[in-house]
Amino acid sequence: MSYIHQTKPFVVPTTDGKLIEEHFGRVANQQENISIARMIAPSGWSEPHQNPAFDEWTLVSKGKKLIEVDGEVIEISAGQSILITKGSRVRYSNPFEEACEYWSVCLPAFSIDTVNREE
């Protein structure tokens, strides 16, 4: 087949209220070279610092997201995007009142084993 029509993305189970719908990637279709996921981070959401072994592009479609990367704080809003290169120390959060909807593209594909989250 010359295409894959994704109609039922894999919903990643979370405990922090964040919605993750993986359209392509290690879990959705065993694709290791790239992952593409739609996410909704609720107001007040945050995750620990991490040092991923993959590049990650984030494209915000609604709301705002705060990103701490190598000691710098960056706010991105709907219509904006950012590339965080592998090996960066990064922390994502949504301290804003509105939920943030965004798309994440990871190259190679996201893996819990290579995200290297700090405890």
Side-chain angles (χ1 to χ4, degrees):
M1 186 182 300
S2 60
Y3 67 90
I4 299 172
H5 180 189
Q6 179 58 275
T7 60
K8 296 180 182 175
F10 179 80
V11 177
V12 178
T14 64
T15 59
D16 60 3
K18 182 179 176 184
L19 172 67
I20 304 172
E21 297 175 333
E22 185 179 85
H23 285 256
F24 298 97
R26 293 179 193 271
V27 180
N29 67 332
Q30 296 71 51
Q31 192 165 8
E32 295 186 12
N33 61 332
I34 192 171
S35 60
I36 301 173
R38 175 181 168 263
M39 303 192 200
I40 299 178
S43 175
W45 169 86
S46 69
E47 62 185 9
H49 282 91
Q50 56 195 31
N51 188 334
F54 48 81
D55 292 334
E56 184 169 3
W57 289 260
T58 299
L59 300 91
V60 176
S61 51
K62 293 181 185 173
K64 298 186 281 189
K65 186 176 179 183
L66 200 65
I67 302 169
E68 301 169 42
V69 59
D70 293 333
E72 187 174 345
V73 178
I74 303 156
E75 182 181 305
I76 61 173
S77 300
Q80 298 179 344
S81 59
I82 191 168
L83 163 61
I84 305 298
T85 56
K86 62 183 167 188
S88 300
R89 183 172 187 258
V90 62
R91 179 176 181 263
Y92 299 100
S93 65
N94 178 10
F96 308 105
E97 292 182 18
E98 177 184 1
C100 179
E101 180 178 348
Y102 62 100
W103 288 83
S104 174
V105 177
C106 298
L107 187 65
F110 176 91
S111 167
I112 199 68
D113 296 327
T114 60
V115 72
N116 302 314
R117 287 202 175 112
E118 296 177 11
E119 293 302 321

